[in-house]
Amino acid sequence: MSQWHPLFLSLPLESVIKDNQQHYYQALEQADPQAESTPFIHFMLLVIAQALVQSAPVNVSVNAPVNVSGLKTPEAIMALIQHNPAITRQQIADTIGKDIRTIGRAMAKLQQAGRLRRVGPDKSGHWEVIS
């Protein structure tokens, strides 16, 4: 990755991967039977984001990750969407540790309850939390 950008030379990616070793193996396990690298790519993007946060100078403002532990699935979904309205169902599923179909059902219920709305098309739209 350092060939793409010299910033990657100074990022502590290996230590962040080591700290998240269980998630690393889970991402590999998910990717292998599907013959699909998306779960592993999501994991690596999260690792890169964590490494950037760890190595960011103190005077740089960085969005803190949303802590969804202890929240029920609908509340976790709402917290993640409030933090990042452009988040995808797959990213929510990966963050919460639930199946994407479970996330889809929970989001459909939130939409039916009038708490969540999709604005724009699937690829370029975003989610809106309704108070």
Side-chain angles (χ1 to χ4, degrees), residues 53-65:
V53 168
Q54 287 180 6
S55 65
V58 245
N59 62 351
V60 174
S61 174
V62 178
N63 288 335

Side-chain angles (χ1 to χ4, degrees), residues 50-103:
Q50 286 177 0
L52 285 168
V53 168
Q54 287 180 6
S55 65
V58 245
N59 62 351
V60 174
S61 174
V62 178
N63 288 335
V66 178
N67 182 3
V68 294
S69 62
L71 295 178
K72 297 215 179 266
T73 301
E75 286 73 28
I77 291 169
M78 297 293 276
L80 290 168
I81 289 173
Q82 283 180 324
H83 181 73
N84 177 10
I87 195 167
T88 66
R89 286 184 175 101
Q90 185 64 57
Q91 290 169 326
I92 293 170
D94 292 343
T95 303
I96 297 175
K98 302 273 184 174
D99 185 79
I100 191 168
R101 292 178 300 251
T102 302
I103 299 303

